[in-house]
Amino acid sequence: MKDIHYCLKDDVKYPTVLKNIKGAPDIIYYKGNIEIATEYKSVAVIGSRKCSARGMQLAYDTAKYLAGRRINVVNGLALGCDSAAIRGALDNNGKCIVWLPCGLDNIQPKSNRKLADEIVDKGGCLVSEYPEGTELRKYNYVERDRLQSGISQGVIVIEADRNSGTMHTADFAIRQYKHLACYYYKMLENSTGNKYLEENKETIVLKQLSNLEEFTDDILHEVQYEQMTLQL
């Protein structure tokens, strides 16, 4: 596949925020403009593949709002909430960062290949810790989930059941000390995961636009430092 590049952890193009997480990849592969990850703040907008119509609309509207504030939208290109969020961002001239759980020559799901091309064409990027030719394996999804939160300053869970893969990213966000928010579970149908997150006092519960504004204000005003390793 043409135009796939790579960068090492000590390269200038390697996203600064990603360097700071435990288990950051020594090398990442990308297609598109990886530098947006350092130039702008990023928020992962994630949720279940089998989400309700309300969840789809919230994903679209949330990402559209973030794009309007020049915040990158991050997720895994999955069907459902992820795809709706990407569409919302692109429709408002936003940029997206998509993490794949396999090589970048193997876009998954295949039905989203055109959407993946549009992400790159509109200034975003596709990223993976796996080289070309790497096939999709089930455990790769969980490994990938740590990177969705890792490259972001914040994570927003739109709609998720307690046992959905979305919760892996939310758990990583907590461990990585990222800003975490979810929509109020009573607003949605498949939201046992949202209810679980609301029991964590660190989770911001979004019930109206003003809550989303406050959440993004905190992220935009946060100063990002790169961790320094002391050489002895």
Side-chain angles (χ1 to χ4, degrees):
M1 188 175 183
K2 293 197 310 179
D3 303 322
I4 294 178
H5 309 280
Y6 70 89
C7 60
L8 303 174
K9 197 186 290 187
D10 57 356
D11 289 344
V12 174
K13 286 189 176 183
Y14 194 101
T16 301
V17 65
L18 189 61
K19 292 180 182 180
N20 292 338
I21 71 165
K22 182 179 180 180
D26 291 328
I27 181 172
I28 58 174
Y29 303 87
Y30 65 94
K31 182 177 183 182
N33 185 10
I34 189 65
E35 294 177 72
I36 62 170
T38 299
E39 292 172 0
Y40 305 103
K41 298 294 177 68
S42 300
V43 170
V45 182
I46 57 175
S48 297
R49 292 170 177 81
K50 296 179 180 179
C51 63
S52 64
R54 181 72 184 280
M56 293 281 281
Q57 190 63 54
L58 278 174
Y60 180 92
D61 292 342
T62 299
K64 186 175 181 180
Y65 174 82
L66 295 174
R69 302 202 72 175
R70 301 187 75 185
I71 296 173
N72 303 319
V73 170
V74 177
N75 62 42
L77 196 65
L79 301 177
C81 283
D82 284 19
S83 296
I86 291 169
R87 185 75 267 154
L90 295 178
D91 285 353
N92 200 23
N93 299 313
K95 293 178 172 56
C96 300
I97 300 172
V98 162
W99 279 101
L100 293 181
C102 49
L104 295 181
D105 55 336
N106 183 22
I107 300 299
Q108 296 291 335
K110 289 179 170 51
S111 58
N112 269 349
R113 283 181 178 178
K114 287 186 178 179
L115 188 59
D117 289 339
E118 187 177 352
I119 289 168
V120 173
D121 291 342
K122 292 187 175 180
C125 65
L126 311 177
V127 198
S128 177
E129 64 177 324
Y130 303 109
E132 291 177 75
T134 302
E135 294 296 323
L136 180 62
R137 296 179 178 86
K138 190 173 182 179
Y139 64 81
N140 288 4
Y141 282 108
V142 178
E143 292 296 303
R144 182 273 309 275
D145 289 344
R146 84 189 195 284
L147 302 175
Q148 290 185 126
S149 56
I151 205 170
S152 305
Q153 279 77 23
V155 172
I156 298 176
V157 174
I158 301 295
E159 178 180 19
D161 284 327
R162 177 69 183 93
N163 61 352
S164 70
T166 298
M167 300 305 291
H168 291 300
T169 303
D171 289 340
F172 281 120
I174 294 169
R175 286 185 240 168
Q176 295 167 353
Y177 303 102
K178 305 289 184 174
H179 297 273
L180 177 63
C182 71
Y183 278 97
Y184 182 43
Y185 80 98
K186 287 188 177 180
M187 296 170 61
L188 297 148
E189 296 173 18
N190 309 309
S191 56
T192 54
N194 298 56
K195 185 177 181 181
Y196 171 80
L197 290 175
E198 289 175 26
E199 296 171 359
N200 178 348
K201 63 182 180 180
E202 302 299 326
T203 304
I204 303 299
V205 180
L206 306 175
K207 295 183 178 181
Q208 54 195 8
L209 181 60
S210 61
N211 301 140
L212 184 56
E213 289 175 348
E214 292 166 7
F215 181 77
T216 51
D217 281 345
D218 287 343
I219 287 172
L220 288 170
H221 297 149
E222 184 178 73
V223 178
Q224 183 68 49
Y225 297 101
E226 181 178 344
Q227 291 182 357
M228 302 297 291
T229 301
L230 183 62
Q231 300 283 341
L232 297 178

